[in-house]
Amino acid sequence: MKFYKWTVFIVFMTLLVDRSLTAYSSSRGSQGFTPTRSVSGYPNNVSSTTSGPVPGMVHVNSVSNSSIVGNQLSKYWTDLQKFLQNPNALNSVVNQIGNFIKTNNVSFPISVMTPENLQKVLQLLGSGSSNLQGISQYAGLLGNFSNDLRNVTEELEQHISPQCFGHLEFLVSELLKREQWAFKMIDAAGKIPSGLLSGDMAWTGSYDECLAVHTGKFDGKYCTATLPLSNLLGSAVPASSGFIGGFNVRMALCIPDSCTALESKTTVNALLGLLPLGQSKVYAYSVTCSEPVEYDGVGIAGFTVCGVFFLLMVLSTVFDMMYSQDQNQSHVTENGVTSESKYRVNGDVKKPTKSGQPGVLPRLAMTFSVYTNARKLMSTEQAGGALGAINGIRFLSISWVVLGHAFAFGMGEIQNQIFTKDFLGNWTSMVLANGLLSVDSFFTLSGLLVSYLFMREMKREKARINWFMFYFHRIWRLTPPYMLVLFLYMSLYRYLGDGPFFNIGGQDGVSCRKNWWTNILYINNVVNAKEMCFGWSWYLANDMQFYVVSPVLLVPLYFSKKIGVFINILALLGISIATGVVSNHYGLLPTIMSTDAAAMMASYNDYFFEYYIVPWCRMGPYIVGIVTGYIIYKTDGKFKIPKVMNLLIWLVMAVAACIVVYGIYSPVNGDQWSSGVAALYNAVHRSVWGVCVCWVVFACVTGNGGIVNDFLSWKLFVPLSRLSYCIYLTHPIVIYYYLQTLRQPFYATTLGFTYSFLASLVLSTLTAIVATLAFETPMMTIEKILFRRGKK
């Protein structure tokens, strides 16, 4: 009975609003505008395709005789209150409607809703019924509703397939029979939630409940319709609310699997056209459906690659364990006497002249051994001349990257969209708003290490260098794990999850199949960049491009300090000028994140594609790192700074770093700088950040770091630092998978995002361990074996 009570209440409330809007339109006379309906049930200006531009809404003009409308609304509301306050009358109506539906076989809302059935309903709701005094005046509206419903039904029958139409009709008939599966399909659809004006725009319903429906004739299929409500809600959604791209609701649908996305869109728009919204209308401009994923050649290849690497790891580990055991047993004679006793003379041990080092083939066979590679990974030992503080900086920087992505990616799947504006209003949030600097830390460290190691190699080889190995080592170091992770992401991600937010291609599945070749050539940041595969790989392209041109800066620096420094300063100046010109030309903001949604959307594409990912705007920190690496090489890590001067430099660098990070508070919160000031900030702030990072490394290496060096050189950071590359490769996949397999949007809080970040960091680290053991470490070992690297 509760179902019928709510039905009666909703019907009469709908009639009240519709009657009021009818009176409202009548009082306007010729001022009104009635949208015409096309044959498919859409307004003439709305496309019937599955997706398209957001249709415009009809604007309602002001009304002069508002007092008449107000009196009518007041009278209608008073009558409705009287009716609802009489429980006996309400129960009587509920019983009458229930008995009427059962005894007269009235079906709603498919084709069996005929004028004859409506006449029976009108008789039930007629003025002769004492229980409906004050409400019967609305009964006449049912006649118009019946005609509209009949027209829509006829149009649907013409414009969707007979199978889809028949299954929809079957759904309605079974719903009236109170079949549980039919109620599940209705229950699984999206409903208007609380917190709508706070940004809850994902009405996801129940994904699993929908897919659990199996009727024998059809199964449930989950679809999502996108409904633009900005114009309908009007001033209820202020422009400053932070809703990027307008107030577009994603509403779940549970439909028979025989209906396509286009047929679902046609049905939804036809039914939405019946809503009594006056002159305004709401239409879905796109509908997407979850379809079963079929295994294709790429997917089968992905599973095959996984199987091959798993088999290699198992066989290599087994061989490693057997070989090690055999080597240990070879030191024991048949009499149980250790082989060392054969070489013992007067208590001393004289070892054999031949080393027990395995040959090339056994070492190749053990390349994929989890046992050996895990020991290497977890070891805290470092090669001589290693810059220990870099390990801590590297891991903290990758943690900062994960933090920024956990926040940025999560913004699209939250209930309370206005959280973003409130969060960015705090000073502490600038660490996230300016989290892009974490990548500049990596550029800085990359340039520093390339310079430092290049100078040492040149000195050892007496100013000669094998340029083939210079480039081959870099390509071999980065490419195999990069390409393997990319391939597995492109081929297998679609089979690993589902849900209302799940994208079977990840974030860029189509782009990967089309443009993967730009990734393997490291040009994906400048060629087809707007269709980039593996979107976060723009960093790898830049880093490789910087490495390719680095000899132009390194060679002069080695042979002539003055000429080398001049060339590096000139290059840094050129990069800064180019960045400022680009920023000023496109009117870029000093940050990619802002509470000023309109300004951010206007600047976003240019900021990302013309400035953020291109090498001629990002090489500044890399050049700073090259110069610092040269200075560390020349000082040999020995440069004593007086305590007062040391503290002063630390203070200056700390202030500079804080200005870079927190100085964008005003533009982040909508108080935009002039284009000139923004251009100056974009031109220099990344290089300034690079200088701050380089100072930390230099101070720690030369013994001027104090407790900072003690922390950054902590041995725990050594294995974690080795994982940083694979963490960068895999962490977006981990975050995407979590967000896209959610069944409901989550309510954002600072604590909630903290938990999300920590979970993402831990899971990304575990995933990186697998990728490192399977891809990165074996490839580096193969290079050492074949090219005999590391022997000197």
Side-chain angles (χ1 to χ4, degrees), residues 144-434:
N144 295 332
F145 182 76
S146 171
N147 292 331
D148 290 342
L149 187 60
R150 182 174 58 185
N151 293 335
V152 168
T153 303
E154 293 175 352
E155 292 171 5
L156 285 178
E157 193 169 11
Q158 295 175 6
H159 291 90
I160 64 178
S161 67
Q163 185 181 30
C164 176
F165 183 85
H167 286 168
L168 288 173
E169 192 172 23
F170 178 69
L171 168 62
V172 174
S173 64
E174 295 302 296
L175 182 64
L176 293 173
K177 294 178 183 179
R178 302 186 180 184
E179 289 291 336
Q180 186 182 48
W181 67 262
F183 277 105
K184 281 186 176 181
M185 292 190 71
I186 302 301
D187 184 47
K191 315 294 190 306
I192 300 177
S194 300
L196 179 64
L197 299 183
S198 295
D200 192 354
M201 297 184 288
W203 308 348
T204 54
S206 178
Y207 179 88
D208 296 303
E209 184 179 35
C210 179
L211 296 188
V213 173
H214 304 286
T215 69
K217 290 189 175 182
F218 60 81
D219 298 332
K221 180 164 73 172
Y222 184 93
C223 297
T224 301
T226 303
L227 312 176
L229 300 184
S230 298
N231 291 347
L232 180 66
L233 295 176
S235 60
V237 185
S240 61
S241 60
F243 300 133
I244 300 174
F247 200 93
N248 298 324
V249 165
R250 294 176 292 174
M251 184 179 72
L253 309 171
C254 188
I255 62 171
D257 63 353
S258 58
C259 299
T260 64
L262 180 59
E263 290 172 334
S264 302
K265 180 184 175 184
T266 302
T267 303
V268 168
N269 281 336
L271 296 178
L272 287 174
L274 297 174
L275 294 179
L277 301 177
Q279 302 293 342
S280 298
K281 294 295 180 182
V282 175
Y283 292 95
Y285 71 86
S286 70
V287 173
T288 58
C289 297
S290 297
E291 303 286 354
V293 181
E294 298 181 358
Y295 290 95
D296 57 7
V298 177
I300 295 173
F303 283 111
T304 302
V305 170
C306 282
V308 168
F309 273 88
F310 178 76
L311 185 61
L312 284 174
M313 294 169 71
V314 171
L315 294 178
S316 185
T317 303
V318 171
F319 177 82
D320 186 11
M321 301 296 291
M322 294 177 62
Y323 185 86
S324 299
Q325 184 178 8
D326 182 67
Q327 289 294 102
N328 291 334
Q329 289 179 352
S330 67
H331 292 288
V332 181
T333 64
E334 293 182 359
N335 297 325
V337 180
T338 61
S339 58
E340 287 184 357
S341 62
K342 297 180 180 181
Y343 307 99
R344 189 179 299 275
V345 179
N346 296 328
D348 298 326
V349 177
K350 295 184 179 179
K351 295 183 179 181
T353 56
K354 291 187 177 180
S355 172
Q357 179 74 17
V360 173
L361 291 180
R363 290 172 65 195
L364 286 174
M366 292 185 287
T367 298
F368 288 88
S369 171
V370 175
Y371 173 73
T372 297
N373 291 340
R375 291 177 61 187
K376 293 178 182 178
L377 176 63
M378 299 303 172
S379 173
T380 59
E381 299 296 327
Q382 298 185 80
L387 310 179
I390 286 182
N391 295 318
I393 297 175
R394 184 181 284 141
F395 180 73
L396 293 179
S397 296
I398 195 62
S399 300
W400 194 4
V401 171
V402 176
L403 174 64
H405 284 163
F407 177 82
F409 297 169
M411 285 294 97
E413 315 299 349
I414 65 175
Q415 292 181 11
N416 50 328
Q417 293 287 334
I418 60 174
F419 168 81
T420 305
K421 180 180 179 181
D422 295 337
F423 178 79
L424 292 177
N426 299 322
W427 280 95
T428 53
S429 66
M430 294 306 102
V431 175
L432 276 172
N434 221 349

Side-chain angles (χ1 to χ4, degrees), residues 572-608:
L572 181 60
L573 183 62
I575 292 294
S576 301
I577 293 174
T579 304
V581 170
V582 169
S583 178
N584 188 67
H585 175 73
Y586 290 102
L588 303 181
L589 302 180
T591 173
I592 202 170
M593 190 173 294
S594 173
T595 58
D596 187 347
M600 184 173 70
M601 289 301 295
S603 175
Y604 179 84
N605 282 339
D606 290 334
Y607 187 98
F608 187 79

Side-chain angles (χ1 to χ4, degrees), residues 673-717:
W673 294 341
S674 66
S675 59
V677 175
L680 177 63
Y681 180 84
N682 287 331
V684 303
H685 80 283
R686 300 187 186 280
S687 298
V688 172
W689 178 259
V691 171
C692 297
V693 173
C694 284
W695 162 252
V696 173
V697 177
F698 178 78
C700 292
V701 169
T702 57
N704 298 286
I707 59 173
V708 175
N709 180 55
D710 294 338
F711 174 69
L712 295 178
S713 300
W714 187 21
K715 286 190 175 182
L716 178 63
F717 285 135

Side-chain angles (χ1 to χ4, degrees), residues 544-729:
M544 181 60 75
Q545 291 159 8
F546 298 162
Y547 187 85
V548 168
V549 301
S550 63
V552 177
L553 305 175
L554 293 171
V555 174
L557 200 58
Y558 178 81
F559 287 104
S560 174
K561 180 174 67 175
K562 292 182 179 180
I563 296 176
V565 170
F566 174 77
I567 291 176
N568 278 268
I569 292 177
L570 188 63
L572 181 60
L573 183 62
I575 292 294
S576 301
I577 293 174
T579 304
V581 170
V582 169
S583 178
N584 188 67
H585 175 73
Y586 290 102
L588 303 181
L589 302 180
T591 173
I592 202 170
M593 190 173 294
S594 173
T595 58
D596 187 347
M600 184 173 70
M601 289 301 295
S603 175
Y604 179 84
N605 282 339
D606 290 334
Y607 187 98
F608 187 79
F609 294 109
E610 305 297 336
Y611 160 64
Y612 185 67
I613 66 172
V614 293
W616 49 86
C617 292
R618 299 306 304 270
M619 198 177 179
Y622 193 88
I623 298 173
V624 172
I626 284 179
V627 175
T628 305
Y630 173 76
I631 294 173
I632 293 176
Y633 162 75
K634 294 298 288 185
T635 59
D636 197 24
K638 300 174 183 178
F639 192 84
K640 191 63 178 177
I641 304 175
K643 289 186 177 180
V644 175
M645 180 62 67
N646 187 34
L647 290 175
L648 180 61
I649 297 175
W650 273 104
L651 179 62
V652 170
M653 292 299 171
V655 171
C658 288
I659 291 175
V660 169
V661 174
Y662 295 96
I664 60 169
Y665 177 80
S666 294
V668 165
N669 285 276
D671 186 12
Q672 300 301 335
W673 294 341
S674 66
S675 59
V677 175
L680 177 63
Y681 180 84
N682 287 331
V684 303
H685 80 283
R686 300 187 186 280
S687 298
V688 172
W689 178 259
V691 171
C692 297
V693 173
C694 284
W695 162 252
V696 173
V697 177
F698 178 78
C700 292
V701 169
T702 57
N704 298 286
I707 59 173
V708 175
N709 180 55
D710 294 338
F711 174 69
L712 295 178
S713 300
W714 187 21
K715 286 190 175 182
L716 178 63
F717 285 135
V718 176
L720 292 175
S721 174
R722 295 190 184 111
L723 292 170
S724 60
Y725 179 52
C726 284
I727 290 177
Y728 186 83
L729 290 177

